[in-house]
Amino acid sequence: MRIADLLKDGLDCVKVGYPLILASGLDVVRRLSKMTPVIADLKVADIPNTNRLICEQVLAAGAFGIIAHAFTGRDSLEACIEAARRAGAEVYAVTEMSHPGAVEFLAPQAEKMATLAADAGADGVVAPATRPDRIRLIRSIVGDLTIISPGVGAQGGSAREALAAGADHLIVGRSIYESRDPRVALDRILAEIG
Amino acid sequence: MRIADLLKDGLDCVKVGYPLILASGLDVVRRLSKMTPVIADLKVADIPNTNRLICEQVLAAGAFGIIAHAFTGRDSLEACIEAARRAGAEVYAVTEMSHPGAVEFLAPQAEKMATLAADAGADGVVAPATRPDRIRLIRSIVGDLTIISPGVGAQGGSAREALAAGADHLIVGRSIYESRDPRVALDRILAEIG
């Protein structure tokens, strides 16, 4: 809460994941949402009925966006999108990810998953800043959907290269919140992307 | 809690997912774990560092097992397995799932994911009761790993066929807990599998 309050004027939104939600309960989404828009990065990846139940709770707590996996298929992703529509919120579908293991099963399906995300009515997709060539490819598939891009900083991705490749927003985690001075860390990234 | 208490002598364990944990907090895992072994069906599907943080919290709350996706790759799955080893707990990897959308991306990779689960040291895999032929295939790949099998009942899978195909344990949800008499619903399944 302290870091979000310190940085909120330099951010579009704050992304929270399960480690924080498990430790603090959904109340942390309620409290953060009063300060800044919140994307719940739950990597939702279950059957449609369970996806719906998860999304409904997080959206009711105030999240404006949810990150869901596409690899569980169209019906699972649509369950998230329908829950978001009812709440006036947004869904971002994972096309691939920024860690080494993502090349095994995710990357080979990234194009098909990006196509699915666009067809199913997702608001955007998640594509890794660690692989700008992949962002370029995903952009060519999803048209004007929003691309949000993790992996900047601690995981090695370049903010400037990710944006040049077609990302709309950058997701930066550890290199800000684990910094001794998160505001300086954020300002350094903002300066880099001009 | 009431249903778990009513059924615990007829069950090997209780599986809980995010809908319940989001509504009740991790405390529900703590309370259930005092009554019966708990598998946390979180479909963990993030980068290794996040997977570790998720698993550590749920295991610290008392879960004896975690269900993790294999789709996110070896490093992500290993992060779950290492966290479970440190806690003396177990990890079950999803090979494919029981809903219609699972045929799009998951099913074509099921054999490779089952091989990964066995190689990485998972304790078992999850294979769908709705597709006994797939259970048979997965059994041929994972040797003596434990196979747990969802989709019985509400999703259309047959308890008897899933076991005959090689499943060790059945996962039954809605057809028990949405039943007017959960104990009768459970006894009917127990009678079927004799």
Side-chain angles (χ1 to χ4, degrees), chain A residues 18 40-47 50-52 54-55 58 66-72 76-77 80 94, chain B residues 18 43 45 69:
Chain A
Y18 274 128
D41 182 7
L42 306 186
K43 304 278 194 318
V44 189
D46 215 308
I47 61 172
T50 305
N51 278 8
R52 176 181 62 78
I54 291 170
C55 291
V58 177
I66 285 181
I67 294 178
H69 271 297
F71 74 75
T72 38
S76 288
L77 181 60
C80 299
V94 177
Chain B
Y18 274 128
K43 304 278 193 318
H69 270 296

Side-chain angles (χ1 to χ4, degrees), chain B residues 114-191:
Chain B
T115 303
L116 168 61
D119 286 354
D123 301 279
V125 296
V126 187
T130 45
R131 303 190 180 107
D133 56 315
R134 305 295 297 179
I135 297 177
R136 232 169 255 119
L137 175 69
I138 299 300
R139 170 57 73 204
S140 74
I141 295 169
V142 301
D144 60 359
L145 289 200
T146 300
I147 296 180
I148 61 178
S149 191
V152 171
Q155 294 182 67
S158 152
R160 193 197 300 248
E161 285 177 32
L163 293 175
D168 296 295
H169 299 278
L170 302 173
I171 301 170
V172 190
R174 283 172 275 170
S175 59
I176 290 179
Y177 68 68
E178 288 183 351
S179 165
R180 291 178 69 168
D181 189 332
R183 183 74 226 191
V184 169
L186 172 61
D187 287 342
R188 195 176 300 133
I189 294 167
L190 291 175

Side-chain angles (χ1 to χ4, degrees), chain B residues 39-129:
Chain B
I39 291 188
D41 182 7
L42 307 186
K43 304 278 193 318
V44 190
D46 216 309
I47 62 173
N49 187 56
T50 305
N51 278 8
R52 176 181 63 78
L53 293 169
I54 291 170
C55 290
E56 284 175 352
Q57 286 193 60
V58 177
L59 294 164
F64 105 96
I66 285 181
I67 295 178
H69 270 296
F71 206 96
T72 39
R74 186 175 190 119
D75 52 357
S76 288
L77 181 60
E78 283 179 343
C80 299
I81 293 170
E82 286 159 14
R85 288 289 169 278
R86 288 192 294 274
E90 299 186 347
V91 170
Y92 298 85
V94 176
T95 58
E96 63 188 294
M97 293 170 70
S98 50
H99 63 297
V103 303
E104 295 172 42
F105 300 105
L106 284 162
Q109 304 295 329
E111 295 170 65
K112 279 189 192 166
M113 292 194 287
T115 303
L116 168 61
D119 286 354
D123 301 279
V125 296
V126 187

Side-chain angles (χ1 to χ4, degrees), chain A residues 118 138-147 168:
Chain A
I138 298 301
R139 171 57 73 203
S140 75
I141 296 168
V142 300
D144 61 358
L145 290 200
T146 300
I147 297 180
D168 295 296

Side-chain angles (χ1 to χ4, degrees), chain A residues 76-190:
Chain A
S76 288
L77 181 60
E78 283 180 343
C80 299
I81 293 170
E82 286 158 14
R85 287 289 169 278
R86 288 193 294 274
E90 299 186 347
V91 170
Y92 298 85
V94 177
T95 57
E96 64 189 295
M97 292 170 71
S98 51
H99 63 295
V103 303
E104 295 170 42
F105 300 106
L106 284 162
Q109 304 294 329
E111 295 170 65
K112 278 189 193 167
M113 291 194 287
T115 302
L116 168 61
D119 286 353
D123 301 280
V125 296
V126 187
T130 46
R131 304 189 180 111
D133 55 315
R134 304 295 297 181
I135 297 178
R136 232 169 256 117
L137 175 69
I138 298 301
R139 171 57 73 203
S140 75
I141 296 168
V142 300
D144 61 358
L145 290 200
T146 300
I147 297 180
I148 61 178
S149 190
V152 170
Q155 294 183 66
S158 152
R160 193 197 300 247
E161 285 177 33
L163 292 176
D168 295 296
H169 299 278
L170 303 172
I171 301 170
V172 190
R174 283 172 274 171
S175 58
I176 291 178
Y177 68 68
E178 288 182 351
S179 165
R180 291 179 68 169
D181 189 331
R183 184 74 226 191
V184 169
L186 172 61
D187 287 342
R188 195 176 301 132
I189 295 166
L190 291 175

